[in-house]
Amino acid sequence: MSSLETQFLSLTEHHARYAAIDPASALKGSASGKVIFITGGSRGIGQATAVAFAEAGVKAVYVTARSEQALEETRELIRQANPNTQCAYSTCDVTRAEQVEAAVADCVKKFGGIDVADANAGYLAHWAKIGESDPESWWHSWEVNVRGAYHLIRFAMPHLIESAKRWATEGSSGGHLILLSSIGAQMLAPTASDYQTSKHAINRLCEFVTVDHGQDGIKCFAIHPGGVATDLGQNMPEAMRAYLTDSPDLAAGFIVWLASGSADWATGRYLSANWDVEELTSLKDEILQNELLVNRLHARA
């Protein structure tokens, strides 16, 4: 395992929703007038994020997943959270470019644009040593986690750029892109080569989005959502499941906070939902001056 203590900030850790990221209080109204597009929005973190944006007063939420029944459940939860929030969905396999493109187009047709795109869909297989792994399953991790995120970035980008321009003219912030990473991106846990390398790639992809489109107003973040006991998480080795103690509401509130514009200065970086956002903000100058929270090769000075 890599030297994690040198790769992460020493901040107060949270494991559930707290005041500063509460969509129903501190962030109430922060999403007003905006349209949110979420892949993998039928359960777990994606579903909680959809509901959190509704609590924050979002205009509309568009969710995709592979199960229509589960998407219906998400739509009902959104309705309960905020009857004024519109919701639409489509079944979508994020590994298929034409399906993601069609879903993005449907969202724009229905709601007029996209202000926040959340690449939440993910895949985690049963862990195995590289020499004992299933080739199809190993590569499927990359297909969903990286290719799926790329597809959303590719097809949502023109609309996010328009959002950034539109909200800037109103003195506000738009054009936010959230990529679901993991603390595993910086780890070398035996038998986790497929998942952890794919999440490491997500962190670098986030940096490239900022290099290519930061000048267009795009704000991109790769986030660790905390250790959440999702269905995917149950595929981890049993010894690792003891760390799955965080509520999906933690990541959901953190994403709403990011989309409020409060962390635009940290675009292109890896951030953890566990970190206290007020303490994180207090480190802004140090993070920017020392190029922290980005992927770099350590070498001798």
Side-chain angles (χ1 to χ4, degrees):
M1 190 174 295
S2 60
S3 182
L4 290 176
E5 66 274 11
T6 66
Q7 299 187 62
F8 295 94
L9 302 177
S10 180
L11 302 175
T12 299
E13 290 190 0
H14 296 276
H15 302 282
R17 179 184 293 190
Y18 58 101
I21 61 166
D22 190 343
S25 56
L27 297 175
K28 187 73 173 178
S30 65
S32 178
K34 292 186 176 180
V35 177
I36 315 301
F37 187 103
I38 304 174
T39 62
S42 64
R43 63 185 66 187
I45 297 166
Q47 185 178 78
T49 301
V51 172
F53 271 110
E55 292 180 277
V58 75
K59 170 187 171 181
V61 179
Y62 193 101
V63 288
T64 76
R66 292 180 297 166
S67 168
E68 184 170 359
Q69 180 178 352
L71 286 167
E72 280 284 0
E73 294 172 3
T74 298
R75 181 158 67 177
E76 175 58 22
L77 290 173
I78 290 171
R79 187 196 66 78
Q80 293 175 18
N82 186 350
N84 295 320
T85 292
Q86 303 173 67
C87 179
Y89 66 76
S90 63
T91 56
C92 175
D93 180 347
V94 295
T95 69
R96 301 288 297 275
E98 70 278 7
Q99 292 187 21
V100 178
E101 183 177 21
V104 167
D106 188 48
C107 176
V108 173
K109 180 179 179 181
K110 284 183 168 68
F111 302 129
I114 296 175
D115 298 296
V116 181
D118 178 12
N120 182 80
Y123 179 75
L124 172 63
H126 291 283
W127 290 10
K129 293 182 179 180
I130 296 175
E132 300 169 1
S133 60
D134 175 70
E136 291 298 321
S137 178
W138 196 98
W139 188 244
H140 191 60
S141 294
W142 277 72
E143 287 282 308
V144 176
N145 298 339
V146 181
R147 189 177 186 179
Y150 161 74
H151 284 159
L152 179 59
I153 295 167
R154 171 63 181 83
F155 297 114
M157 185 60 70
H159 310 291
L160 293 173
I161 292 172
E162 286 303 312
S163 168
K165 293 177 180 177
R166 183 173 68 254
W167 287 99
T169 62
E170 299 181 16
S172 188
S173 183
H176 290 90
L177 178 62
I178 313 297
L179 307 182
L180 220 65
S181 182
S182 168
I183 193 172
Q186 304 305 118
M187 296 171 68
L188 289 169
T191 74
S193 63
D194 52 354
Y195 183 74
Q196 292 186 351
T197 57
S198 71
K199 292 303 184 179
H200 192 74
I202 285 292
N203 291 0
R204 194 61 156 178
L205 184 60
C206 173
E207 294 179 38
F208 269 106
V209 169
T210 300
V211 167
D212 286 349
H213 294 288
Q215 69 271 24
D216 297 320
I218 300 302
K219 280 73 70 174
C220 185
F221 309 95
I223 76 159
H224 169 53
V228 183
T230 60
D231 291 344
L232 290 182
Q234 300 310 310
N235 286 334
M236 295 172 63
E238 189 170 352
M240 300 287 289
R241 297 176 198 170
Y243 297 99
L244 304 180
T245 59
D246 297 330
S247 166
D249 285 337
L250 173 69
F254 187 69
I255 291 170
V256 174
W257 179 76
L258 291 175
S260 73
S262 297
D264 285 358
W265 58 269
T267 183
R269 287 173 164 78
Y270 166 96
L271 303 174
S272 172
N274 293 118
W275 295 340
D276 182 88
V277 297
E278 293 175 338
E279 293 179 17
L280 174 64
T281 302
S282 72
L283 296 178
K284 172 183 174 180
D285 291 342
E286 179 183 353
I287 291 169
L288 295 179
Q289 289 171 10
N290 294 294
E291 276 294 289
L292 303 182
L293 308 180
V294 293
N295 288 353
R296 293 293 182 269
L297 179 70
H298 286 289
R300 292 196 311 178

